[in-house]
Structures are given as C-alpha cells and as structure tokens.
Amino acid sequence: MTTHGPVPRIWSCGGCGLLWPCPTRERELRAEYANMPVSLALYLGALLVQAAEDLPGTPPGALHRRFIGWSRLSPETRQ
C-alpha cells in the first residue's frame, strides 16, 4: 500500500505534499498497471472527473496534463 495517495478535495499527495499524482505515485502506478494501459487510463480518467469537481477553477487542460498526460509519456521524457 502506498502512502502517496491523494488528499480528498485538494488533490495533493498525502505522502509528500506535492500535487497529486506526485512523481513517486506516477512510478508506482506505472509499475502497478505495466501491462494494463487501458485500465490505468480509465482509473486516471475517473480521478480526473473527481478532481475537476473539487477544483473548479483549474483549467481543464492543466488537469488533463496532470492526471492523464504523464501516463502517455515515457518516464525519461517526463519533466
């Protein structure tokens, strides 16, 4: 079990305080869903919807990059 889960309503990391998903959680999710990219996309999409409800002032593109965009990049190109 990870300590890097999201803090409800503010979407920061419960383990390190960075924006969720933090780099540690991204690595964990890549490993957990290594052979299931569609499942990862569905999981992240569901969380994106929740975050959009909790963070109504955040631009949709920023939320998409934060919650889903990283999963399509290789870890080496993620910045």
Side-chain angles (χ1 to χ4, degrees):
M1 168 136 312
T2 185
T3 60
H4 291 272
V7 176
R9 301 263 182 232
I10 59 172
W11 292 93
S12 65
C13 176
C16 63
L18 297 174
L19 292 178
W20 196 92
C22 67
T24 298
R25 189 61 181 139
E26 288 176 8
R27 283 190 302 277
E28 292 172 347
L29 288 168
R30 281 186 196 280
E32 289 173 35
Y33 289 89
N35 297 315
M36 301 175 291
V38 174
S39 295
L40 176 59
L42 290 171
Y43 172 67
L44 294 173
L47 294 177
L48 170 64
V49 170
Q50 291 176 13
E53 292 173 359
D54 292 338
L55 306 169
T58 306
L63 286 176
H64 180 273
R65 283 187 299 279
R66 180 174 159 188
F67 282 83
I68 297 174
W70 66 267
S71 67
R72 300 186 68 192
L73 300 173
S74 69
E76 296 80 32
T77 60
R78 175 80 167 127
Q79 302 210 22

